[in-house]
């Protein structure tokens, strides 16, 4: 890691250095409840280079757009830059008029901005001069408009905010779909003639690949004589972890380029989030990475709690609530890594058996989740200021069918055995059966190499980043909850290949067990203490401002950027609700990681990143 001079190790000193070099082009963001600096967009690239090269902010975590239509006549990009050496974010912003939205691309400074800028272009219509491949990423090229703009309305538009008058409170329930004329349920661009429809949307996907062969003419005799082929893997290929597609250019059997294509599962989660109230968004976070719902809940709770803390009535979570939160998220990390390892082996061709070994122990954790939260996967458990309810005295189930297996255990006894015996034993079993397998080593060592400098530049996070030798973990780099008082190490491996990404998940599971063992006496000591601060029936009004809550989720940094309009009398809905999804951003380096390998390796490389499409597409 780089040792930075003492004078630039804190954010305020870095901002001072920027102001000294760019005195006319940087100003503090003085809006109520906001932080960071606003940079003249014409000097954005120069400021970003200084941040990276001179001030050490080498890691661009998040880049998101906000539309202030109705409040102002501008849109802005909000960037969160960090040092991989640790510390808080330096937040900087660039603003642009709505009618000609244009902000310079930062892809040459941080390649990790690639997909995030494409997302801002797709959903907000902001253009990024300098971006080499600026095209839609979540929607198809024939989609009309940019749906996250505040003045965009969908065909079935009902109202701006929930609860809709058509559903509540009088009970005269109807849906907009029922009153729309058939055929008016879709929108097309103004020059789109449906009677002459010829779908050319695929051309945009292929045009930037530099293939040297026309995809539209592959049926000609001349084109078919070449050894260079284009292979589509997905979106319905069983190895693509859901509805995901990769356009692979082959020279013989060797990959020359690869481009991920996503969006098949996109449902505009963020627009839904801006129409919901703050509290109503909690169960929607479950549906992002549905393997890790407890961690999703916590990231969103932290973001809203940051906003609530600006008000006078805010009370932070109780100590017992924090202990339970960490208990749930560390168990979730183990659940996720069981799943990731099992299906990585599935992708390598070891069908079913390794996955079943992993799933068997995962189910024991889900039994505990179900007894506590009421659900095994979509837990909806965290709340602003605490958790939904305390741990039950017993894990108990009733028979639903004849010969059902009954569960009836003392909860603390169950947890103690799970944490001290069952989970460590199952991790050791996976290690024993898999780690020294010559087949696994042959398929994974040296495959999908991601060097540390590229991992940082491409904004990789989680096991993908740490397996490349970068010991960056949000729990240590920018701690939250009670992690500062817990004893654990940041797992790191140094070879940056599939094998190390497998090993680091074993390492992280063992570190999670180490944390969980420290939580058991804390659970006993705080038994009977409150699990909610203040009155959990009434969440205080969310004050004006912005916040960014992030957690070290199993797949990497999960962040929520939330803006509150702060309307004291109006509805309590986020003005902006954005998800920094690790499954989405971790795909940015997938193409470079696959170049030079074979088609069979692509499946394994994708599996080693560990994505969930609910989080990728949102």
């Amino acid at each position: 890691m780089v040792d930075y001079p003492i004078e630039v190790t804190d954010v305020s000193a870095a901002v001072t250095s920027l102001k000294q070099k760019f005195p006319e082009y940087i100003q503090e963001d003085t809006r109520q409840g906001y932080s960071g600096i606003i940079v003249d967009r014409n000097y954005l690239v120069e400021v970003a280079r200084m941040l990276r090269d001179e001030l050490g902010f080498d890691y661009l975590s998040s880049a998101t757009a906000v539309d202030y239509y109705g409040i102002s006549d501008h849109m802005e990009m909000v960037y969160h830059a960090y040092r991989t050496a640790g510390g808080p974010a330096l937040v900087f912003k660039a603003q642009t008029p709505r009618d000609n939205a244009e902000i310079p691309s930062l892809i040459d400074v941080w390649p990790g901005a690639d997909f995030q800028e494409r997302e801002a272009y797709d959903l907000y219509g902001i253009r990024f001069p300098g971006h080499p491949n600026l095209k839609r990423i979540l929607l198809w090229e024939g989609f009309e408009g940019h749906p996250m703009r505040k003045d965009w309305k969908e065909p079935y538009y009902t109202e701006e905010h929930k609860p809709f008058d058509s559903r509540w409170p009088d009970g005269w329930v109807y849906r907009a779909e029922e009153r729309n004329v058939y055929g008016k349920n879709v929108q097309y661009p103004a020059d789109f003639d449906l009677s002459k429809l010829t779908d050319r949307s695929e051309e945009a996907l292929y045009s930037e690949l530099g293939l040297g062969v026309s995809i539209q003419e592959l049926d000609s005799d001349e084109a078919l004589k070449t050894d260079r082929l284009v292979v589509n893997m997905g979106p319905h290929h069983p190895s693509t972890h859901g509805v995901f597609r990769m356009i692979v250019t082959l020279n013989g059997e060797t990959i020359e380029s690869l481009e991920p294509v996503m969006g098949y599962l996109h449902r505009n989660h963020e627009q839904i989030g801006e129409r919901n109230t703050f509290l109503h968004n909690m169960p929607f976070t479950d549906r992002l990475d549905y393997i890790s719902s407890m961690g999703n809940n916590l990231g969103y709770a932290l973001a809203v709690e940051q906003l609530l803390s600006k008000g006078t009535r805010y009370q932070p979570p109780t100590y017992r609530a924090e202990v339970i939160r960490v208990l749930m998220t560390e168990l979730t990390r183990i659940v996720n890594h069981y799943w990731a390892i099992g299906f990585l082996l599935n992708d390598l061709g070891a069908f079913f058996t390794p996955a079943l070994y992993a799933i068997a122990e995962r189910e024991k954790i889900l039994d505990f989740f179900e007894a506590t939260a009421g659900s095994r996967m979509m837990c909806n458990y965290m709340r602003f200021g605490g958790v939904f309810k305390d741990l039950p005295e017993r894990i108990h189930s009733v028979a639903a069918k004849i010969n059902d297996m009954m569960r009836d255990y003392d909860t603390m006894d169950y947890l103690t055995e799970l944490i001290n015996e069952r989970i460590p034993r199952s991790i050791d079993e996976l290690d024993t059966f898999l780690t020294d397998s010559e087949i696994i080593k042959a398929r994974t060592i040296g495959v999908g190499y991601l060097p540390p400098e590229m991992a940082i530049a491409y904004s990789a996070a989680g096991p993908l980043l740490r397996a490349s030798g970068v010991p960056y973990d949000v729990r240590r780099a920018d701690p939250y909850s009670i992690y500062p008082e817990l004893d654990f190490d940041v797992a790191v491996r140094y070879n940056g290949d599939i094998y190390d990404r497998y090993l680091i998940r074993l390492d992280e599971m063992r570190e999670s067990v180490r944390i969980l063992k420290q939580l058991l006496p804390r659970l006993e000591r705080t038994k009977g203490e409150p699990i909610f601060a203040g009155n959990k029936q009434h969440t205080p009004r969310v004050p004006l401002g912005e916040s960014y809550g992030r957690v070290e989720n199993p797949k990497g940094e999960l962040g929520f950027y939330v803006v509150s309009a702060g309307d004291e009398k109006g509805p309590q809905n986020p003005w902006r609700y954005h998800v920094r999804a690790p499954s989405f951003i971790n795909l940015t380096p997938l193409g470079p990681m696959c170049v030079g390998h074979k088609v069979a390796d692509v499946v394994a490389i994708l599996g080693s990143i560990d994505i969930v499409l609910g989080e990728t597409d949102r």
Side-chain angles (χ1 to χ4, degrees), residues 153-159 164 167 175-187 275:
K153 302 291 185 290
E154 72 274 19
Y156 285 148
Y157 175 78
T158 302
E159 292 176 45
F164 297 152
R167 320 281 172 86
R175 298 182 182 275
E177 293 91 323
E178 299 168 8
R179 303 191 177 187
N180 268 34
V181 178
Y182 177 75
K184 300 295 185 181
N185 59 329
V186 290
Q187 293 175 172
R275 291 186 178 174

Side-chain angles (χ1 to χ4, degrees), residues 333-405:
R333 195 176 319 279
I334 293 171
V335 163
N336 182 93
H337 289 349
Y338 275 139
W339 198 259
I341 291 171
F343 278 87
L344 172 62
L345 270 293
N346 218 47
D347 292 337
L348 289 171
F351 296 119
F352 308 125
T353 302
L356 288 173
Y357 264 87
I359 289 170
E361 291 308 315
R362 170 181 175 268
E363 289 297 304
K364 302 299 181 185
I365 299 174
L366 297 190
D367 287 346
F368 170 65
F369 286 173
E370 182 182 19
T372 306
S375 177
R376 303 179 72 79
M377 290 181 68
M378 310 299 176
C379 296
N380 185 23
Y381 182 64
M382 308 294 177
R383 295 292 183 272
F384 312 139
V387 294
F388 165 54
K389 67 175 185 177
D390 207 338
L391 306 185
E393 287 290 334
R394 302 190 69 80
I395 296 175
H396 179 73
S397 66
V398 297
K401 298 179 180 178
I402 297 174
N403 297 326
D404 268 1
M405 292 183 63

Side-chain angles (χ1 to χ4, degrees), residues 45-58:
V45 176
E46 289 87 340
V47 169
R49 288 194 190 281
M50 181 176 174
L51 274 172
R52 184 194 66 183
D53 299 337
E54 299 180 34
L55 301 177
F57 288 87
D58 52 349

Side-chain angles (χ1 to χ4, degrees), residues 82-88 471-479 490 550:
Y82 295 87
R83 296 187 179 99
T84 49
Y472 186 79
D473 186 311
V474 178
R475 295 172 296 173
R476 281 286 186 244
D478 191 14
V490 174
R550 63 177 189 150

Side-chain angles (χ1 to χ4, degrees), residues 114-135:
D114 183 356
F115 286 7
Q116 300 184 75
E117 289 180 350
R118 284 180 59 189
E119 181 183 14
Y121 164 73
D122 192 357
L123 302 184
Y124 283 88
I126 300 176
R127 295 181 300 278
F128 295 90
H131 194 293
N133 191 21
L134 191 63
K135 59 189 178 187

Side-chain angles (χ1 to χ4, degrees), residues 544-588:
L544 184 72
E546 65 175 354
S547 69
Y548 182 65
R550 63 177 189 150
V551 292
E552 186 62 48
N553 240 31
K555 294 176 174 64
E557 178 185 332
L558 173 70
F560 290 86
Y561 177 72
V562 182
V563 174
S564 169
D567 188 344
E568 286 296 326
K569 298 180 180 179
Q572 280 282 284
N573 305 78
W575 181 266
R576 180 70 175 108
Y577 166 82
H578 170 69
V579 183
R580 189 263 186 223
S583 293
F584 176 68
I585 298 175
N586 281 352
L587 287 170
T588 313

